[in-house]
Amino acid sequence: MTSDAKYYIWLTLALGYSNPKLKALCKLYGSMEEFYRAGTFEWRLSGVLNQHDIESLSHTELSKAYDIIDQCNRLGYTVLSFDDSNYPDRLFEIADPPAVLYVWGRLPDFEHRLSIAMVGTRNATSYGKMTATMLSASLSKLGVIIVSGGAVGIDCEAHTGALDAGGTTVAVLGCGIHHRYLMHQQKLREAISKTGAVISEYPPDYPASKFTFPERNRIISGLSNGVAVIEAGERSGSLITARLACEQNRDVFAVMGNITSAYSVGTNRLIKDGAIPVTSYSDITDCYPEYIIVGAGESVTAEIPKHRADIDVSENAKKVYRVITSDPQHIDDITLKSGLSVNIVLQCITELEMEGLIKAGKGRMYQLI
């Protein structure tokens, strides 16, 4: 926990959760202590806050943040704020990331391991439960982090499949970690905390409500490379997670279901709308060739090719080489960036290929080796 954590907690208590203004203020000020001490005049000048926000900040006492920190220390929860080096960079990418995460357990390395969210209806069928368990277990054995919501139904099966396979799973709750909601799931949460983490953006005793679950869905998708929907009815909350995943530029997967089942209406519609259909775990892992799968708990990001310092090629070829990246680029883009004529660029590309510095792909695309 950083020295500024108390100010981030204070900020969430005053401005609420799922508020994009929290990220804006973080970018605007060097530290939250600086913002806290700036006072109402500076707050108005920030251009981020309205009068209601300023009044709420003025009337929220910092002592409440200290009380929450004391409670977390007693319960053994970790407090991660925006400025903490352990805060997931992937989560900060979204429009409205949580300024504070309360963590029971230990967050896995989201930056270097493939992470897939698995969500679905609470009223899961036997088919849905079996599918969630099998998919989760198969992915976990390959070292994929499984993220879900810790609820009954598909969530529970996804977490259980990961645990049974000896993998890592993270449960994102729609209430405080210590709040007595769905306490029959407490043993599952305890098991998750031993090898992964149970997390929430809400203080430990914060109650669940009709607002907290839709809010927490953005964290589930935000932590993940992609979201797999197992079973979902026509108005399932899992469809909210899928929509958020699209907004966050995450992949959306859906398991094809029985067309006569009410719990497959949502997933089948997702596929019609462009979601990637899933019939096997490989339908998911094949979408992420940048990750090397080397065994349970050991999926890591593939090493990204970099430009070499000393290469024995012509000056024009060096110029072309410098604009080619690890991501495939079309010949037209390479020509534009290099400032050379297309004929010269083609000669340079041939030279670079012969030296084993770049490789060609389909459609006149080229990238570093």
Side-chain angles (χ1 to χ4, degrees), residues 160-171:
T160 301
L163 291 172
D164 290 347
T168 304
T169 184
V170 174

Side-chain angles (χ1 to χ4, degrees), residues 19-72:
N19 189 339
K21 292 180 181 180
L22 303 177
K23 182 178 179 180
L25 291 172
C26 176
K27 289 184 174 181
L28 197 59
Y29 288 84
S31 73
M32 274 305 104
E33 181 177 7
E34 176 188 340
F35 172 77
Y36 173 78
R37 300 192 183 285
T40 56
F41 180 73
E42 289 291 334
W43 296 346
R44 288 190 181 91
L45 293 179
S46 70
V48 175
L49 305 168
N50 58 35
Q51 185 59 34
H52 179 269
D53 295 330
I54 293 169
E55 290 176 1
S56 182
L57 288 165
S58 300
H59 295 141
T60 302
E61 297 180 1
L62 187 62
S63 60
K64 293 181 179 179
Y66 281 106
D67 291 340
I68 290 172
I69 291 173
D70 289 341
Q71 184 184 23
C72 289

Side-chain angles (χ1 to χ4, degrees), residues 193-245:
S193 71
K194 288 180 171 60
T195 57
V198 178
I199 68 174
S200 176
E201 69 176 316
Y202 307 110
D205 288 324
Y206 199 90
S209 75
K210 64 180 181 179
F211 303 107
T212 57
F213 291 102
E215 284 180 345
R216 69 88 192 263
N217 289 346
R218 80 192 194 286
I219 302 176
I220 293 176
S221 54
L223 284 172
S224 308
N225 295 84
V227 173
V229 185
I230 311 301
E231 272 189 328
E234 190 172 9
R235 298 182 181 277
S236 172
S238 301
L239 301 182
I240 297 175
T241 311
R243 175 179 57 79
L244 290 167

Side-chain angles (χ1 to χ4, degrees), residues 49-324:
L49 305 168
N50 58 35
Q51 185 59 34
H52 179 269
D53 295 330
I54 293 169
E55 290 176 1
S56 182
L57 288 165
S58 300
H59 295 141
T60 302
E61 297 180 1
L62 187 62
S63 60
K64 293 181 179 179
Y66 281 106
D67 291 340
I68 290 172
I69 291 173
D70 289 341
Q71 184 184 23
C72 289
N73 288 336
R74 291 196 308 272
L75 295 171
Y77 300 157
T78 302
V79 179
L80 296 181
S81 50
F82 276 156
D83 61 331
D84 197 303
S85 60
N86 293 314
Y87 187 96
D89 290 343
R90 185 180 297 166
L91 193 55
F92 193 74
E93 295 171 359
I94 70 175
D96 48 0
V100 179
L101 283 178
Y102 299 93
V103 182
W104 180 21
R106 184 176 180 179
L107 284 183
D109 186 3
F110 283 106
E111 309 314 315
H112 298 97
R113 289 174 60 183
L114 178 60
S115 173
I116 297 296
M118 296 183 66
V119 297
T121 180
R122 297 188 179 196
N123 301 312
T125 66
S126 57
Y127 165 75
K129 291 178 180 179
M130 178 184 68
T131 303
T133 303
M134 290 176 59
L135 269 179
S136 177
S138 297
L139 291 169
S140 294
K141 288 176 182 177
L142 299 176
V144 179
I145 302 166
I146 302 299
V147 181
S148 198
V152 297
I154 296 298
D155 289 9
C156 175
E157 300 302 323
H159 291 307
T160 301
L163 291 172
D164 290 347
T168 304
T169 184
V170 174
V172 186
L173 304 186
C175 61
I177 300 173
H178 195 243
H179 181 64
R180 299 184 65 81
Y181 178 78
L182 292 177
M183 288 308 292
H184 57 282
Q185 297 290 86
Q186 187 64 12
K187 287 187 178 180
L188 175 62
R189 294 175 187 174
E190 289 176 1
I192 292 171
S193 71
K194 288 180 171 60
T195 57
V198 178
I199 68 174
S200 176
E201 69 176 316
Y202 307 110
D205 288 324
Y206 199 90
S209 75
K210 64 180 181 179
F211 303 107
T212 57
F213 291 102
E215 284 180 345
R216 69 88 192 263
N217 289 346
R218 80 192 194 286
I219 302 176
I220 293 176
S221 54
L223 284 172
S224 308
N225 295 84
V227 173
V229 185
I230 311 301
E231 272 189 328
E234 190 172 9
R235 298 182 181 277
S236 172
S238 301
L239 301 182
I240 297 175
T241 311
R243 175 179 57 79
L244 290 167
C246 290
E247 293 174 0
Q248 296 167 353
N249 198 28
R250 294 345 186 212
D251 298 309
V252 177
F253 303 90
V255 174
M256 293 181 285
N258 188 333
I259 62 172
T260 65
S261 171
Y263 300 114
S264 294
V265 173
T267 48
N268 291 341
R269 182 182 297 159
L270 284 174
I271 293 171
K272 288 178 66 177
D273 291 342
I276 301 167
V278 174
T279 58
S280 166
Y281 73 88
S282 61
D283 292 326
I284 296 175
T285 55
D286 286 351
C287 292
Y288 303 98
E290 68 272 28
Y291 288 91
I292 301 172
I293 308 296
V294 290
E298 299 176 3
S299 65
V300 296
T301 309
E303 184 177 352
I304 299 174
K306 298 180 180 179
H307 291 97
R308 303 178 196 177
D310 299 319
I311 56 174
D312 187 17
V313 295
S314 66
E315 288 303 312
N316 281 336
K318 287 180 181 179
K319 186 178 292 187
V320 171
Y321 179 66
R322 284 193 290 269
V323 302
I324 297 175

